[in-house]
Each structure stands twice: as C-alpha cells, then as structure tokens.
Amino acid sequence: MKTALVNLFRATFGRAPEIMARAPGRIEFIGNHTDYNGGTVLGAAIDRGVWVAVAPREDGQRRFASDQRAGVVAVSWGNLDKRSGAESWVNYPLGVVAALPAFGLRAPAGFDYLAMSDLPTGAGLSSSAAIELASGLAFLAMTRQEPSRETLVKVGQHAENQFVGVPCGILDQGVSGFGRKDHLVFIDCRGPTFATVPLPAGAHFWIFNTHTKHALVDGLYAARHRECMAAAQTLGVGQLVDVSPAEVWAAEARLSPGAFKRARHIVEEIARVTATQDALRAGDLAAVGNLLTASHRSSQTLFENSTAELDFLVETLGATPHVFGARLTGGGFGGAVMALTSAKFGAAQADAVAAAYAVKFGARPDVLHTQTGDGAALVAV
Ligand code: ADP
Ligand code: MG
C-alpha cells in the first residue's frame, strides 16, 4: 500500500508526499445501540483501512484526490463550504480541517492530499471514521501539533456529526483511534473513556455484507432512539445505563410492551458487554461466541432491528463448524453479519454460507475475512 500511495501521489501531484498516515476500519463486536444510552461497547479495529498522504502547498490551495474517485478537487483557501455530488467525499477531510479550531487546534493551510484505501466503503466497516482519523493525523503532523488520541477521535466525530451531517456515536472513531492488533477496544460511552482488551489468539472475523438496507432505516433508527429515551424517562433515569435488568423487569407494568422490550435489550446488552470482557479474560472464545449470538437473538426479538437476511446468516453460521458465534454488526435493519471463528473456518465454509444465502435471497453477500489491526498512526515516509 505504501509504495502504491507514494506512486499515485507522484502521478497525481508531480512530487513526493511529505507526511503519511493510516487509520483502520472497525467492527462493532458487541454492544448494540448501547452508545446513545450511555452504555458500553466493544469494537475491533481491523487489518484494513484508509491511507492518506499530504504535502504542503505555498499558494494556500487545498487539493484533494482519492484512488476511488477521478480527478482532483481544488478548494481555495478559506473556503469551507460543503461539497456536493461527485465531490461530496471531500467533506470528510474538509470536515476535519473545519473541526480543528473547535478543539483549539490550528487548521493546515494549503496542501496536496491523496486518500487510498483497502477498505470497502459503505459496508458498515466505517471507512468514514478511517478517512477522518488518517486525515486528522496527517493535518496535525503538517502543522506540528500533537494532541491526545482522545482529541483526535473527537475531531473525527465532530467532522462527521457537524460537517458531513451523520449523527454517529463515538464507536467508529474511538475504535479506529484506539485499535490495537490482537485487542478489542472497550468504550464507556458516558465519558467517553477508552481501553484495550486482549483478544485470545486464534480469533478470526468473517463479515457477510448483505447490501440490504431497510427503506425506512433512518426513521427506524430514530424511532428506537426515541423509544429508549421514553423508557428511561418512565424509569426515572436520564439514560438506560442507569437501570439494572431487575429494575426493568420490576417496571414491566409501567412500560408499554414495546418500551419494555427495547429497555430489556439495552440493559441486557450492556450486561453482555461485561460478560464478554470476563469471557475474554478467561480466554474462552466459545463463551464469547455464545454472547455474540445471544446479542443477535436480542436484536431479533427485543430490539427488532434485525431482518430475515441477517437472521438467516446467523442461523446458517451457527450450524457451521468452527464458528464461535455470529451477530448483526452496526445499526441493523440490513447491513452485515459478523462471525467470530477459529482459524479452521476458511474460504470453503464461507462460500457455502454465501451460496446458501444466494439460493434463498437471490444474490450473494460480500464476504470479507479480517483480523484485528492497529489503530490510527503516522506512517514513516
Ligand atoms: P462506512 O463508514 O460504513 O464505510 P459511510 O457512508 O459512513 O460508510 O462512509 C463512506 C463514505 O466515506 C464514502 O462514500 C466516501 O464519501 C468516504 N470515503 C471513505 N473512504 C474513502 C476513500 N478512500 N476515498 C474517498 N472517499 C472515501
Ligand atoms: Mg461511516
């Protein structure tokens, strides 16, 4: 990747890059819709990501290119207007430029910029956080500023929330920023605070992306958010993290059947995150896998953010040897399923799952095999 990045930078801008950075994509490991309820979540940075190369320009122009887009987008100095159409991808790095002053950091003046990626975009692996964090690191190195990792993560989230306009939680940027090979990232969303948790050796991830998306996904997501807040209010707390599963059960009569189910999912999911940490500490991947599958069952029956496609994949994977567990990963209502497997699960097994899915749903899911990887970092030029 590094050589390809330097070569494409030279071909695009006629000179060598001066600074390079890379940030990984991520998987939501367990902790479904817990973030906005003040709960906890475990994510994994994966071994694929976005690479960014930059070199300063004297004329103040900001020139953006990507291996995934044709042409160069030139933005004059001082112009922080949102781009649209074919240029809208520039909103991710430009949003980072625009976010820096909000954190007391200097924005870079002119530069040539190239992004390159071995991470599928729009596949639920958070290429958006990866491009934000790689861009942030490169811009900060250009201006010789060294903020904390927390700040870098918050700059990325600010860019995505405020500039791009996607109301994502802290998971995506937090995991891309704090990821570590052979570890998971634990986030307590109330702080937020970040920690890494060792992942026992021999854990492999397989992602099955269905490319399905519920037509009403944004509205459904907002509805779940509302239902959780309403349940918290009925229970007399600000956020569902502040009630125990026993308290939710005790309040069943006061909650509508829907609110009861949503609240149960959240408080039990937060308990599963804790149980997963215990199982990881014990090196028990089988127990971890059972918790992943239990999380999916809860999505299916309590939070009702699964689909027939995702359920089929979890079912089929559950019946396949060498699979510890599987669950929908991300917001749900379509998207992808993640399976945690041993090294013995291979392309042949994955292919059989994809083929069975195709028989039922008429199209194959995209299959991606990954392992954990390191978080955002500068790359030596
Ligand atoms: P996800 O984060 O799940 O991949 P998003 O829709 O949040 O999906 O973000 C994908 C968007 O991020 C792309 O449509 C593009 O605008 C931008 N992006 C990510 N990686 C790159 C890249 N290497 N080059 C250009 N744009 C990128
Ligand atoms: Mg994204």
Side-chain angles (χ1 to χ4, degrees):
M1 273 303 268
K2 190 174 152 180
T3 312
L5 182 70
V6 172
N7 289 343
L8 188 59
F9 193 96
R10 280 182 186 281
T12 309
F13 298 112
R15 61 191 180 127
E18 290 188 14
I19 290 159
M20 301 198 289
R22 176 197 171 273
R26 64 99 190 92
I27 301 167
E28 176 194 288
F29 189 72
I30 191 165
N32 186 252
H33 287 256
T34 52
D35 54 356
Y36 56 82
N37 289 293
T40 50
V41 58
L42 283 164
I46 61 171
D47 55 6
R48 289 165 178 251
V50 176
W51 299 61
V52 164
V54 294
R57 291 176 66 90
E58 295 303 323
D59 63 3
Q61 257 200 29
R62 295 173 175 141
R63 295 170 67 87
F64 297 92
S66 163
D67 67 330
Q68 301 185 359
R69 300 287 192 279
V72 173
V73 180
V75 179
S76 60
W77 189 82
N79 182 353
L80 290 175
D81 294 340
K82 246 183 107 164
R83 320 298 291 189
S84 57
E87 296 185 350
S88 57
W89 74 270
V90 169
N91 291 330
Y92 293 89
L94 198 58
V96 171
V97 171
L100 290 168
F103 295 85
L105 297 163
R106 271 173 291 119
F111 53 75
D112 288 331
Y113 169 107
L114 174 68
M116 199 173 215
S117 176
D118 59 3
L119 182 66
T121 57
L125 297 171
S126 203
S127 68
S128 58
I131 192 170
E132 288 151 10
L133 267 73
S135 301
L137 273 178
F139 296 153
L140 289 160
M142 240 177 85
T143 48
R144 296 191 173 74
Q145 300 173 94
E146 287 180 34
S148 68
R149 206 154 273 276
E150 272 91 348
T151 303
L152 176 71
V153 163
K154 286 178 185 165
V155 165
Q157 192 194 15
H158 190 276
E160 184 138 355
N161 292 169
Q162 307 297 324
F163 198 87
V164 179
V166 176
C168 60
I170 196 68
L171 172 73
D172 299 358
Q173 291 81 10
V175 174
S176 185
F178 282 87
R180 186 167 159 202
K181 190 166 164 37
D182 299 324
H183 288 70
L184 298 177
V185 178
F186 170 79
I187 306 178
D188 184 333
C189 301
R190 260 193 297 196
T193 56
F194 307 90
T196 51
V197 181
L199 181 66
H204 287 248
F205 299 111
W206 289 80
I207 314 290
F208 297 80
N209 183 8
T210 65
H211 290 285
T212 57
K213 187 176 171 180
H214 200 292
L216 303 173
V217 61
D218 291 341
L220 287 165
Y221 201 99
R224 292 296 178 277
H225 191 280
R226 260 198 322 276
E227 290 164 336
C228 289
M229 297 307 143
Q233 200 175 16
T234 306
L235 291 159
V237 292
Q239 290 182 300
L240 285 174
V241 68
D242 290 319
V243 285
S244 66
E247 285 168 317
V248 173
W249 277 104
E252 185 177 3
R254 285 191 287 137
L255 292 162
S256 70
F260 177 63
K261 285 200 279 186
R262 308 301 183 241
R264 262 191 71 196
H265 172 79
I266 298 302
V267 298
E268 291 173 12
E269 184 76 353
I270 292 170
R272 271 189 291 272
V273 172
T274 305
T276 303
Q277 287 175 282
D278 294 340
L280 288 168
R281 233 170 267 129
D284 189 348
L285 284 175
V288 172
N290 289 339
L291 288 157
L292 299 179
T293 304
S295 166
H296 185 82
R297 294 279 171 252
S298 179
S299 280
Q300 203 176 344
T301 59
L302 297 178
F303 213 64
E304 296 176 283
N305 62 334
S306 188
T307 61
E309 288 88 347
L310 301 175
D311 293 343
F312 179 84
L313 284 170
V314 169
E315 241 16 275
T316 310
L317 284 158
T320 306
H322 315 305
V323 175
F324 293 118
R327 61 181 290 269
L328 69 82
T329 176
F333 306 113
V337 161
M338 172 207 80
L340 177 71
T341 77
S342 74
K344 287 187 186 148
F345 183 95
Q349 281 89 353
D351 198 62
V353 172
Y357 180 94
V359 167
K360 191 159 164 75
F361 296 104
R364 285 174 77 93
D366 278 349
V367 180
L368 187 75
H369 175 204
T370 74
Q371 286 180 274
T372 54
D374 284 326
L378 288 170
V379 177
V381 178

